[in-house]
Amino acid sequence: MQNIALIDSGPLIALFDKGDKYHSKMIEFMKEYRGKLVTTWAVLTEVSHMLDFNLNVQLAFLKWIELGAVEVYEISQSDLSELISMMEKYTNVPMDLADSSLMFVATKEKIKDIVSIDSDFDIYRTLKSGFLNNLLRE
């Protein structure tokens, strides 16, 4: 069975921003990881916004996604109620749209691993009350 992990915006930003303190760590992670990475459009939007310091870097990121480096999970309008529910549950953290979209996918597809630099994913739980295993902390 193939390894499947979700990937959050922080690691993707670090991968394409050479000035990011996690850049080297992400380059090494990507060289070593064997499996499929999955994310959402909310995460891609967040990454693109954070890479707005250079249009060429944004384009390189989007072309990398286009080549299939990361699978983009489709979330429909009818799924929004579940995302909103999660965001309301974690207002004290708080949980943003990108994070809730990843937790939604984790629950829906039974994905147990995530690649993230955020400690928020140490708090969030799937609907089955399970925590995600952060592959950057192993």
Side-chain angles (χ1 to χ4, degrees), residues 38-99:
V38 178
T39 198
T40 65
W41 281 106
V43 170
L44 297 185
T45 301
E46 195 170 84
V47 173
S48 294
H49 174 72
M50 296 305 292
L51 295 177
D52 72 350
F53 61 86
N54 186 315
L55 180 60
N56 290 327
V57 173
Q58 280 182 327
L59 290 171
F61 167 68
L62 292 173
K63 288 176 183 178
W64 183 73
I65 297 295
E66 181 184 34
L67 290 171
V70 175
E71 180 182 307
V72 182
Y73 190 91
E74 294 289 335
I75 295 175
S76 69
Q77 187 172 358
S78 62
D79 296 324
L80 281 176
S81 63
E82 289 184 56
L83 275 69
I84 291 167
S85 177
M86 280 188 274
M87 291 170 75
E88 289 174 339
K89 178 180 178 181
Y90 290 103
T91 55
N92 60 324
V93 176
M95 177 185 272
D96 65 17
L97 178 61
D99 290 353

Side-chain angles (χ1 to χ4, degrees), residues 10-138:
L12 292 171
I13 294 164
L15 197 57
F16 283 84
D17 180 356
K18 292 178 182 172
D20 190 289
K21 70 180 183 177
Y22 294 100
H23 179 73
S24 296
K25 184 173 187 165
M26 278 310 300
I27 295 291
E28 285 305 309
F29 175 84
M30 293 302 290
K31 285 180 184 176
E32 295 174 13
Y33 182 71
R34 299 291 174 253
K36 180 167 69 169
L37 295 171
V38 178
T39 198
T40 65
W41 281 106
V43 170
L44 297 185
T45 301
E46 195 170 84
V47 173
S48 294
H49 174 72
M50 296 305 292
L51 295 177
D52 72 350
F53 61 86
N54 186 315
L55 180 60
N56 290 327
V57 173
Q58 280 182 327
L59 290 171
F61 167 68
L62 292 173
K63 288 176 183 178
W64 183 73
I65 297 295
E66 181 184 34
L67 290 171
V70 175
E71 180 182 307
V72 182
Y73 190 91
E74 294 289 335
I75 295 175
S76 69
Q77 187 172 358
S78 62
D79 296 324
L80 281 176
S81 63
E82 289 184 56
L83 275 69
I84 291 167
S85 177
M86 280 188 274
M87 291 170 75
E88 289 174 339
K89 178 180 178 181
Y90 290 103
T91 55
N92 60 324
V93 176
M95 177 185 272
D96 65 17
L97 178 61
D99 290 353
S100 68
S101 71
L102 291 172
M103 292 306 294
F104 171 81
V105 176
T107 299
K108 197 87 162 169
E109 299 300 321
K110 298 177 177 68
I111 297 173
K112 297 180 190 302
D113 293 326
I114 191 163
V115 180
S116 180
I117 58 176
D118 293 342
S119 60
D120 296 347
F121 288 97
D122 296 337
I123 298 167
Y124 305 148
R125 288 184 280 178
T126 62
L127 293 178
K128 302 273 186 204
S129 297
F131 291 99
L132 296 178
N133 174 44
N134 191 341
L135 296 179
L136 287 184
R137 295 219 177 95
E138 287 188 333

